[in-house]
Amino acid sequence: MATEGQSMAHPPEQDSVQSIFSVPVPHFPQEIITEILSWLPVKSLGQLQCVCKSWFSLISSSNFIKNHQKYSSRHPKHALTKLVLQATEDNPDILSTFSLHSLLNGISSIEVVEQLVLDSTIKEDPYDIVGSCNGLVCLSSIPGVLTLWNPCTKKSRTLPYDYHEVEILYTGTNISDRVRAATDRSYCATHAFGYDDSNNDYKVVKLYSTLTYSFPKVEEQYVYALGVYSWKSDSWKLIDDIPDGFSSWDSYALVNGALHWRSYEDGSRSTPVIMSLNLEAEKYGKIAVPDNLRGKFDWKLRVVDGYLCIVCTFDDGTMEIWIMKEYSVLESWTKVASIPNSAILNNCASPLFVSAEGKILLRILSQDLTLLDTRNKKGVVYYSETIHCAFLFTESLVSV
């Protein structure tokens, strides 16, 4: 026992704590800290914002958010990209997310990374997934409600109502130059979602499709117009100078600042063409498909490492993958894979993702999730339950 005048020794535990805190913390330049943080997932960044005020300010800054989004989308192992499935009939508001990195690397036991729950304030039943871009997901519901949603930050924005829709449906004043004296109409709208990098603006494009019956000569004619929503202005505008040969999209790809979708120049499957809409200039364009792809086949547009990609399935079940190595240059179309018909494809395969290594993530019918390796023509079935919808998104801090 220590006597008066003697110093009492520090407990060993206290000494160890003091020694830890006495070690000088190395100083890293700000650019190194920013570089390291830019590779981290959103959940980790949310925790690190609480470390100190300077990190909170850094991670919240618009420059960091934009750089983080670019790092996430270009990650060589797709570490921050998730496959999202809606597969629960009893509760369609629950979305299951899977690691794309795990799927592409053939990990046999695929586990749900996270379950995302759609809040009732951001969707109405039933709903569809329009698409995703830079971590934002666009949702569409039957009453005409469109919502932008960031699954990582849980933030959302409901888009304002597009009153051009009513104008086209009931009066047709903006597109009546082509078809007049309509006595009956049937109407539908489809959507696409993309990013205008030049103006840092997210845009939702709505295709208005009106089937018109004209008299006295009875004939059916489709009339099209496009509505474009700007995230920056939070408003819609109408583009009604649709080029000839336009047709509705069910497969689109965002490449080189433009939306691309499949079409046919004369309505025949023998004349396929890729239509485009530049999101900055909001001007149309056309891209020819490879000369080999003239005939009976089904095709989808995808993006591979920033390149425009065609995945086509011929009537005999053969699947081919073509990539445009140089944008808008016909001669640059290159066939990178050809897969003969098999039980894997079964003529009912829809590609969700194509990797630069030649691996295709396929949705077979509405249930099987299959990874097909085009190099050895082998496939692995990961999922065998009903899939109502499936899409990919990459984590980001982008605000809505």
Side-chain angles (χ1 to χ4, degrees), residues 98-99 102-103 105-113 380-383:
F98 301 81
S99 165
S102 297
L103 290 168
N105 284 277
I107 298 175
S108 57
S109 178
I110 302 299
E111 297 181 355
V112 175
V113 175
V380 177
V381 178
Y382 283 128
Y383 197 89

Side-chain angles (χ1 to χ4, degrees), residues 18-200:
Q18 288 180 343
S19 64
I20 291 174
F21 284 98
S22 64
V23 176
V25 178
H27 174 75
F28 292 102
Q30 185 64 31
E31 58 269 20
I32 299 298
I33 295 176
T34 302
E35 176 78 12
I36 294 172
L37 295 179
S38 296
W39 290 96
L40 297 180
V42 170
K43 186 175 182 179
S44 298
L45 291 174
Q47 296 169 339
L48 292 174
Q49 280 184 310
C50 303
V51 171
C52 58
K53 290 183 178 179
S54 61
W55 280 21
F56 179 86
S57 299
L58 170 64
I59 296 171
S60 303
S61 67
S62 58
N63 285 337
F64 179 87
I65 291 173
K66 191 169 185 177
N67 287 332
H68 177 265
Q69 179 272 313
K70 290 181 178 179
Y71 277 65
S72 299
S73 60
R74 297 172 184 172
H75 199 290
K77 296 184 178 180
H78 308 288
L80 300 183
T81 300
K82 306 291 189 295
L83 171 70
V84 183
L85 300 180
Q86 185 218 32
T88 306
E89 290 187 6
D90 296 336
N91 194 347
D93 301 345
I94 295 180
L95 304 175
S96 300
T97 67
F98 301 81
S99 165
L100 181 61
H101 171 72
S102 297
L103 290 168
L104 294 178
N105 284 277
I107 298 175
S108 57
S109 178
I110 302 299
E111 297 181 355
V112 175
V113 175
E114 183 182 7
Q115 285 194 330
L116 306 173
V117 179
L118 290 175
D119 190 275
S120 59
T121 59
I122 69 168
K123 62 90 200 167
E124 296 188 23
D125 291 325
Y127 66 90
D128 291 318
I129 305 295
V130 174
S132 67
C133 179
N134 296 347
L136 298 183
V137 179
C138 182
L139 304 171
S140 169
S141 61
I142 284 182
V145 178
L146 288 164
T147 302
L148 298 184
W149 173 49
N150 187 324
C152 293
T153 64
K154 316 299 187 204
K155 303 295 184 181
S156 65
R157 174 196 292 196
T158 299
L159 275 56
Y161 188 75
D162 178 17
Y163 289 98
H164 297 112
E165 190 167 320
V166 177
E167 185 177 356
I168 289 173
L169 179 58
Y170 292 105
T171 67
T173 55
N174 284 310
I175 51 178
S176 59
D177 290 341
R178 291 202 225 167
V179 178
R180 301 176 185 276
T183 59
D184 192 15
R185 296 175 183 269
S186 62
Y187 167 83
C188 67
T190 52
H191 307 86
F193 178 47
Y195 177 62
D196 172 11
D197 184 64
S198 300
N199 296 305
N200 188 30

Side-chain angles (χ1 to χ4, degrees), residues 149-358:
W149 173 49
N150 187 324
C152 293
T153 64
K154 316 299 187 204
K155 303 295 184 181
S156 65
R157 174 196 292 196
T158 299
L159 275 56
Y161 188 75
D162 178 17
Y163 289 98
H164 297 112
E165 190 167 320
V166 177
E167 185 177 356
I168 289 173
L169 179 58
Y170 292 105
T171 67
T173 55
N174 284 310
I175 51 178
S176 59
D177 290 341
R178 291 202 225 167
V179 178
R180 301 176 185 276
T183 59
D184 192 15
R185 296 175 183 269
S186 62
Y187 167 83
C188 67
T190 52
H191 307 86
F193 178 47
Y195 177 62
D196 172 11
D197 184 64
S198 300
N199 296 305
N200 188 30
D201 194 8
Y202 292 88
K203 295 184 176 181
V204 177
V205 180
K206 177 186 290 187
L207 170 66
Y208 312 97
S209 175
T210 305
L211 176 59
T212 302
Y213 304 91
S214 299
F215 291 91
K217 181 181 179 182
V218 179
E219 80 176 29
E220 297 180 357
Q221 184 171 355
Y222 278 98
V223 181
Y224 297 102
L226 282 181
V228 179
Y229 167 81
S230 166
W231 171 73
K232 291 185 77 172
S233 67
D234 195 30
S235 62
W236 290 88
K237 70 177 180 179
L238 189 68
I239 304 176
D240 59 356
D241 57 338
I242 302 295
D244 293 335
F246 193 93
S247 64
S248 178
W249 58 58
D250 60 0
S251 167
Y252 71 89
L254 178 65
V255 177
N256 207 44
L259 291 170
H260 301 76
W261 60 96
R262 63 182 190 172
S263 187
Y264 302 93
E265 291 188 296
D266 59 3
S268 168
R269 293 181 69 188
S270 62
T271 57
V273 66
I274 298 172
M275 301 291 295
S276 67
L277 176 69
N278 183 286
L279 290 178
E280 178 187 5
E282 297 178 353
K283 299 295 184 182
Y284 300 105
K286 288 185 181 181
I287 296 178
V289 302
D291 292 335
N292 309 54
L293 303 185
R294 302 282 177 176
K296 295 183 178 180
F297 68 96
D298 182 52
W299 54 305
K300 305 288 186 183
L301 293 178
R302 292 295 181 263
V303 182
V304 178
D305 274 2
Y307 297 113
L308 189 61
C309 171
I310 295 176
V311 181
C312 56
T313 306
F314 293 89
D315 285 355
D316 64 359
T318 301
M319 176 180 283
E320 291 184 356
I321 301 175
W322 293 75
I323 291 178
M324 178 171 266
K325 298 285 188 174
E326 187 175 350
Y327 184 71
S328 200
V329 176
L330 176 61
E331 294 76 18
S332 71
W333 279 115
T334 305
K335 183 167 67 174
V336 295
S338 179
I339 306 100
N341 189 14
S342 67
I344 295 174
L345 298 179
N346 197 29
N347 271 344
C348 299
S350 176
L352 298 173
F353 180 81
V354 182
S355 75
E357 295 78 26

